[in-house]
Amino acid sequence: MRLSNVTKRFDDVTAVDNVVLDVGDREFMVLLGPSGCGKSTLLRMIAGLEEPTEGEVWIGDKQVNGVPPKERDIAMVFQSYALYPHKTVQANIEFPLKVRGASKADRAAQAKTAADALGLSEYLDRKPGQLSGGQRQRVALARAIVRQPAVFCMDEPLSNLDAKLRVQTRTQIAALQRRLGTTTVYVTHDQVEAMTMGDRVAVLKKGVLQQFASPSDLYDQPANAFVAGFIGSPAMNMVTAPIVADGVKLGESVLELERDQLIMLHDAKLESVTVGVRPEALEVSTSGGVEAIVDLVEDLGSESYIYTHAKPGIQLVARCLDRVPAKLADTVRLRRRQGGAVHLFDPDTGERVGE
């Protein structure tokens, strides 16, 4: 599937701005971004529910601009389950095949296969009102599967589920997609969902594509400050600070940088820079680093995160393998771990420096 310079305008609002994406065959691609960034609009243009103002949408070797949704060979799974409440689970799953004119035996066989794959076999005679939210979402997935489409389009299908069901169902969706090998476009605002499910993730901000890369590349080499801050939980520590001879001045301390980073900053002719350091790249130390006061200790059992503030107005989060490395209101020193990555961004444009 390919999007070529796709733009969508609603009156004087540009919802999607000149997006270029090339999704490989059998790939699980995630559209990720905050609410209102244009990801659902982009999905709707792929599905044919919206027409692009400019640009082209290709599915396989066919340009589908102007082609009705029913002729695009896609299957859509919505945030709301969109099931027929008066029909049984089996009848809901079979419905796309019935519309196509498939025989009763063929419908039953394919519905059983899809139900088995999603653990719905014992619920085939029930109505949607007798199912839990997770079960209803799996019925919607089964209904999409029996169509055997060229592309699955999924618009935040797990948003209505509780935390435990979300984890369980996203695992099922990812495993099912690998087994079926169907190209999938999946919309979410949850970066953990995107990072654990997608082969590649397209990050959007205000309708503009920020970066399209694998989850590991987004995490390790964010293209700009927005991607750096959006990917990762807790978020990357971001501080804009003046550049000094050996690194960056943070309060009364200096964060030392590698020689090649100092050369990049010199070549960029910047006087200050936005520094990004992930929580796992910081450690509590008895000397050196930045002096900070503990605001919160988040004990997760196997590890903990400490949330701190330092002068002047710097907030830092560090990951610690000790369960309780400090207490509320303690004064600690945070320094970069050996080998911990430091990311540098232009404070004006937000773009990554030197790369």
Side-chain angles (χ1 to χ4, degrees), residues 266-309:
H266 179 270
D267 292 344
K269 296 180 171 57
L270 296 174
E271 295 182 357
S272 63
V273 66
T274 299
V275 179
V277 183
R278 295 208 179 273
E280 63 268 26
L282 292 178
E283 64 180 357
V284 176
S285 170
T286 55
S287 63
V290 179
E291 186 175 272
I293 298 172
V294 177
D295 297 321
L296 173 69
V297 178
E298 192 174 63
D299 185 358
L300 301 180
S302 61
E303 62 187 11
S304 59
Y305 289 93
I306 61 170
Y307 294 75
T308 71
H309 72 272

Side-chain angles (χ1 to χ4, degrees), residues 47 68-77 92-100 110-111 114 140-153 180 182:
K70 65 180 182 179
E71 297 176 19
R72 292 195 180 197
D73 198 15
I74 59 100
M76 192 93 176
V77 180
N92 268 281
I93 296 172
E94 288 183 5
F95 188 75
L97 302 174
K98 186 176 182 180
V99 170
R100 286 183 179 178
Q110 291 196 49
L141 288 166
R143 183 178 58 190
I145 289 167
V146 297
R147 293 198 57 195
Q148 299 181 347
V151 179
F152 284 131
C153 293
L180 296 174
T182 305

Side-chain angles (χ1 to χ4, degrees), residues 8-34:
K8 180 64 178 179
R9 298 188 189 92
F10 296 97
D11 297 327
D12 58 346
V13 175
T14 301
V16 176
D17 191 1
N18 199 37
V19 169
V20 176
L21 285 173
D22 199 342
V23 183
D25 188 29
R26 300 171 176 263
E27 186 172 15
F28 195 121
M29 191 271 280
V30 178
L31 294 173
L32 174 68

